Amino acid sequence: MIMLTPCSGVFQLVKTLLLSEHAGQVQLKEFARKNAANALSMANMIMGLSSIMCSLNGYHYSACWLVLIGYLLDLADGAVARQLNACSALGAKLDDFADFTTFGIATALLLKTSSFLDSALCICYILAVFIRLCFFSSGIPFMYRGLPCIYSSAILACTSLLTGANIIILRVAALAMILFMVDKGFYPHDRVLESQAWKKMVYVGGVLMVLCSSFPPACVYYLVWSVSYILFPSALWSSKV
């Protein structure tokens, strides 16, 4: 019969604890890998919800900036999911919910006034985003059908900031964005963080603009970025360029 000494018993206990700790660390890393992109989508949704609350309480400036932060988060979540090989059906649904919240409801509230016509415009904008997200698939690899709502949202947020929320200009811009979103035009998949170095620098510039710049240069930067996607989709933003 083999007798276990007190020292061997302590050794076995320490070994068990170390193995258990290692297994826990492995599980934690795997959980983080699988949910890193989902965390970015959740952060995007939180930006959208916060923007909605700001709009409802009259903090228009903050509402616009929160939408632009959501713009950056949305461009990052897909890239992170693919880089970590963590794409999932849950992640895709969460991304759509976040997009609808930030680039649909939150952006539409930037247009709202006490006018019935503006309220109707808000509803039409939300419906356009809903249609755009529902009919996301174009059937062609690396292509979207209809303008991605992230760009129309950025254009409206920047226009609102640069014009002091001039409702006439916002109405015209919103109508144009609705038409772009519901049409059947094709736009390239904007894998900004998975493409050429200059596109990554554009993204980094966007982050720095949010963190360091006063609002006029930052708004012009995001406006040019988004408009260039509409005007030169294949020439500049195609993943094959």
Side-chain angles (χ1 to χ4, degrees), residues 194-211:
E194 303 166 85
S195 191
Q196 297 94 327
W198 72 267
K199 294 181 183 178
K200 296 176 184 178
M201 292 305 298
V202 168
Y203 184 89
V204 172
V207 174
L208 293 176
M209 283 290 179
V210 167
L211 295 177

Side-chain angles (χ1 to χ4, degrees), residues 50-73:
S50 300
S51 178
I52 291 169
M53 295 304 297
C54 287
S55 291
L56 294 177
N57 288 282
Y59 299 106
H60 185 80
Y61 178 89
S62 298
C64 292
W65 277 110
L66 288 165
V67 167
L68 292 178
I69 295 173
Y71 177 100
L72 294 173
L73 292 169

Side-chain angles (χ1 to χ4, degrees), residues 78-186:
V80 170
R82 287 183 289 271
Q83 183 67 31
L84 297 177
N85 193 26
C87 298
S88 65
L90 173 62
K93 290 180 181 179
L94 185 59
D95 183 53
D96 282 346
F97 284 132
D99 288 352
F100 183 71
T101 301
T102 304
F103 309 125
I105 300 173
T107 301
L109 286 177
L110 301 179
L111 309 169
K112 190 177 184 312
T113 66
S114 57
S115 167
F116 171 78
L117 289 177
D118 289 329
S119 297
L121 181 61
C122 289
I123 294 173
C124 290
Y125 188 88
I126 293 172
L127 288 175
V129 172
F130 178 76
I131 291 170
R132 171 64 187 75
L133 292 173
C134 285
F135 298 98
F136 174 88
S137 176
S138 66
I140 302 175
F142 308 113
M143 296 295 291
Y144 297 127
R145 184 184 291 277
L147 178 68
C149 52
I150 177 176
Y151 293 103
S152 60
S153 184
I155 288 172
L156 288 178
C158 291
T159 301
S160 182
L161 288 170
L162 289 171
T163 64
N166 184 296
I167 192 60
I168 302 299
I169 297 176
L170 281 176
R171 286 170 182 166
V172 174
L175 287 171
M177 294 303 102
I178 288 172
L179 293 175
F180 276 117
M181 283 190 288
V182 300
D183 74 0
K184 296 183 179 181
F186 292 100

